[in-house]
Every structure is written in structure tokens, then in C-alpha cells.
Amino acid sequence: MKRPIAYFAGTGRGVPSTVMTNFDFAAIGIDTTDEWIVERTGIKQRHIAKTENATDLAAAASRKAMEKAGVQPGELDIIVLGTASPDRLLPSAAVDLQASLGASRAAAFDVGAACSGFIYSATVAEGLMATGNADTALIVGVEKLSAITDWTDRATCVLFGDGAGAAVLKRSKQQKGILSTFVRSDGSLGDLLCRPAGGAAKPFSSDVLAERSQYIKMNGREVFKNAVRSMSEAATRALDSAKLTGADIDLMIPHQANIRIIEATAKHANIPMAKVYVNVDRYGNTSAASVPIALDEAIERGVVGEGSTVLLVAFGAGFTWGSMVVRL
Ligand code: COA
């Protein structure tokens, strides 16, 4: 495949208006402190969707991305959407978004790769563009994790936030766009971060509700170790395949789960923290939405722009991990 096939023509984000700080956990009876959360994770606050659904957040992000790209909904050939918290289990979140946007020509589908969902979606979209199946793609990462979080479990409820990020990919005519991609998964570790019930194997029942198994369950320590290892691997693999080193990168945009995971990944990739975008303090872990929200913010704030070389890296439930080098 001769690269670049696709470039980022516009980005956007949509986040709920309600902000919940670390101090707000006391009001819902959670035994935690701002100090514990900041020291362990770097998170100070997160946005929580009180009135918005995932589709609303995704549509807000998508409209901004399309406006910046100068693309009308009817021009989209595909919509590829990464999420672990769709508004409903059937049909897909992508077709709900399609209807909301009026993108009637598009083929729309979800990608189930949890926090790596945006990078997986971009990789799939680029592949469909390479085979001539699409010229213009909308890729989205969206989560309403607050709806699948156990608000009585202090080990997980302090970590997550809601939001959406989107990008329009167009066919590259110049030397800008996606220079390399890397995606991997290891399903043998799926139980370490999962939502045990609510699927077809264990549909909703009174037992499920009693054991609270419809919510995210996580072994934090094991997830942490694997996240550091896999994000470090991913960062290196995308750089190698683009024939670049950390020194060539203007900005690394890692999945925003935890500042300590981010710092370890940056160190492994030989990228100083001054060249790493961090907003986990303001959003918490928004899973599939974290990388595109951060990318959109970095562009809006002028941290990167036309010609910048950016390394995107993510890790999530599955486990899944992936990375991408992009010339903006
Ligand atoms: N506030 C205060 N104490 C808390 C707490 C909270 N919110 N959550 C857990 N604790 C307590 C535990 O109960 C435990 O107490 P104990 O020793 O009396 O049993 C203690 O803190 C240590 O718990 P542990 O889970 O070992 O903490 P940790 O140092 O591993 O940090 C995480 C927990 C979740 C912050 C950390 O494991 C982590 O960041 N993991 C990765 C999570 C992640 O990023 N997931 C998404 C990946 S995409």
C-alpha cells in the first residue's frame, strides 16, 4: 500500500456540559480524596453526560469536524465509530449517528476496540479508502462511560469521563496524512477489564442487577502493567514503520487514562514530556474518545498544525492497543 492514502481534513469534539471534580465524590458517598486520585492518576475532573446521549456527543463532534473539513453529511462514504458504551446494543451507534447527521450515502458501523477504538477506526477507514471503497470517511470515538460505571466502586468510578471526538479523513493528494499504523490485541486477557453481563451470554436479569455485573470491572494493577508495556510497544512500532524516531515527532498524543502510564510510554519512545499532550487532568479516561478529543484540542490551541508530525497511541480493554503516525 503506497502511503499516505488518507489525511485528517478536520477534527471536532463534543463534551457534556456537566463537570464533576474529585471533590464531588464525597457528595455521592465515595470514600476517596482529591489527593489520592491526583497522585495515582493525574485526574482532577471529568465531564459527565447528565442530559446528553452518546449519539448527541458524537454528532456534536462530527459536525465540527465536517465543518472544518468542508464536507457535507451527504458526501460521507463511510462512518466508522469506536465505542464501548453505545446508546443501545442494536443497531450500532454508527447508524444512530448516521441518522442524526443525515449522512444517507454512508456505510456506517461500529468498531469494538474499547480505548483503542479511534485508532482502530482510523486504521479500518484508511484500509477501505486504500481499496477504493471510500473517498471520504468520518471516524469517531465516543463514550458515555458514566452509564456503565459502578458508582459504588471507588477503584473505577473516579477514573472515567464522557465525551466524543471525530475526524474527517479525505484521500491524500500530497505527502500529508497517515504515515504508518500498528494495531494488536490479546483476547486471553479480556477478563482483566470487562463488562461481564448485559451481553447474550449473560443477559440482564435480577441476578445481574444484584451483583452489579452490568458495570465495568477492572483489575487496576494488571491493566496498568499491560498498558505501559503495550503502549510503549505501540509507540515504537508506528515510529519504526514510518522510519522515524521520537526526535522526529512534534507531539505525541497518548490515550489519556493515567498520567503515570503516559509518562512511562513517553520515556520508552524517547519523547520528552514537553512534546506530549496531556488533558487527563480535565477529562479523565474517556476511552475511545480520548485520543480524538486531545488531537482536536491540540490543533485548536495551535500546539500542532499543518505539517506537524503527530504520534497517536492507545491501549484498552481486550486488551487492544495501537498507534499511528500522522503528518497533519
Ligand atoms: N480512593 C482512595 N483509595 C482507593 C481508591 C480511591 N478512589 N481506589 C482504590 N483505593 C484503595 C484500595 O482500596 C486499596 O486499599 P487497601 O490497600 O486498603 O486495599 C489501595 O487504594 C490500593 O489499591 P490499588 O488498586 O492497589 O491501587 P493502585 O496503586 O494500583 O491504583 C489505579 C489504582 C486504578 C489508579 C491503578 O491501578 C491504575 O491506574 N490502573 C490502570 C487503570 C486504567 O488506566 N484503566 C483503563 C485503561 S484503558
Side-chain angles (χ1 to χ4, degrees):
M1 180 160 92
K2 194 171 172 298
R3 284 191 157 120
I5 303 288
Y7 74 97
F8 282 67
T11 59
R13 65 184 189 276
V15 292
S17 51
T18 301
V19 170
M20 180 179 189
T21 73
N22 291 347
F23 297 98
D24 295 329
F25 285 103
I28 57 166
I30 296 294
D31 178 16
T32 191
T33 60
D34 175 62
E35 193 189 0
W36 192 95
I37 300 170
V38 172
E39 192 187 304
R40 294 293 213 297
T41 70
I43 299 167
K44 294 181 181 157
Q45 63 169 52
R46 71 283 296 140
H47 291 252
I48 299 293
K50 296 280 186 200
T51 54
E52 304 92 340
N53 283 322
T55 305
D56 303 320
L57 301 173
S62 300
R63 287 195 184 98
K64 287 178 201 155
M66 285 191 293
E67 192 184 327
K68 285 185 209 151
V71 163
Q72 297 299 317
E75 294 174 69
L76 295 176
D77 299 313
I78 50 170
I79 299 174
V80 190
L81 184 150
T83 190
S85 50
D87 285 340
R88 45 186 178 167
L89 295 180
L90 185 76
S92 68
V95 296
D96 284 340
L97 174 63
Q98 170 183 31
S100 173
L101 297 175
S104 52
R105 279 185 54 244
F109 58 96
D110 290 358
V111 164
C115 304
S116 311
F118 183 77
I119 287 173
Y120 267 65
S121 295
T123 304
V124 169
E126 185 205 29
L128 285 167
M129 291 169 78
T131 53
N133 282 295
D135 286 320
T136 307
L138 175 66
I139 50 172
V140 183
V142 57
E143 301 290 0
K144 187 172 169 176
L145 294 177
S146 60
I148 60 168
T149 294
D150 186 346
W151 288 97
T152 64
D153 175 14
R154 68 176 180 173
T156 54
C157 73
V158 300
L159 303 176
F160 301 119
D162 300 331
V168 171
L169 296 184
K170 281 191 188 170
R171 190 166 284 287
S172 277
K173 295 194 181 72
Q174 306 145 5
Q175 284 310 303
K176 66 176 185 178
I178 297 171
L179 304 183
S180 67
T181 59
F182 170 79
V183 280
R184 284 288 186 281
S185 52
D186 183 353
S188 71
L189 302 174
D191 289 346
L192 295 172
L193 174 52
C194 67
R195 242 184 114 189
K202 200 171 185 188
F204 284 110
S205 67
S206 49
D207 286 351
V208 166
L209 296 181
E211 66 194 24
R212 307 183 74 77
S213 54
Q214 77 272 34
Y215 295 125
I216 296 172
K217 307 284 177 210
M218 182 178 69
N219 178 330
R221 291 229 164 143
E222 286 303 313
V223 172
F224 188 96
K225 276 192 279 180
N226 279 279
V228 169
R229 185 168 52 234
S230 300
M231 283 182 62
S232 297
E233 180 202 4
T236 313
R237 294 289 286 264
L239 286 172
D240 287 352
S241 120
K243 298 191 172 45
L244 299 174
T245 70
D248 301 310
I249 296 299
D250 295 306
L251 189 69
M252 179 169 95
I253 301 183
H255 170 46
Q256 308 282 320
N258 182 308
I259 188 65
R260 293 183 295 147
I261 297 173
I262 293 172
E263 284 168 352
T265 306
K267 193 170 171 202
H268 192 90
N270 281 323
I271 297 177
M273 281 305 288
K275 288 209 270 175
V276 177
Y277 197 79
V278 175
N279 65 10
V280 68
D281 52 325
R282 288 179 289 118
Y283 291 102
N285 180 350
T286 60
S287 186
S290 92
V291 167
I293 288 175
L295 174 63
D296 184 55
E297 270 196 359
I299 292 171
E300 187 177 271
R301 293 178 169 197
V303 181
V304 285
E306 187 93 23
S308 300
T309 306
V310 180
L311 171 63
L312 312 179
V313 190
F315 170 87
F319 292 137
T320 60
W321 59 106
S323 55
M324 175 170 277
V325 175
V326 181
R327 180 144 312 131
L328 294 175

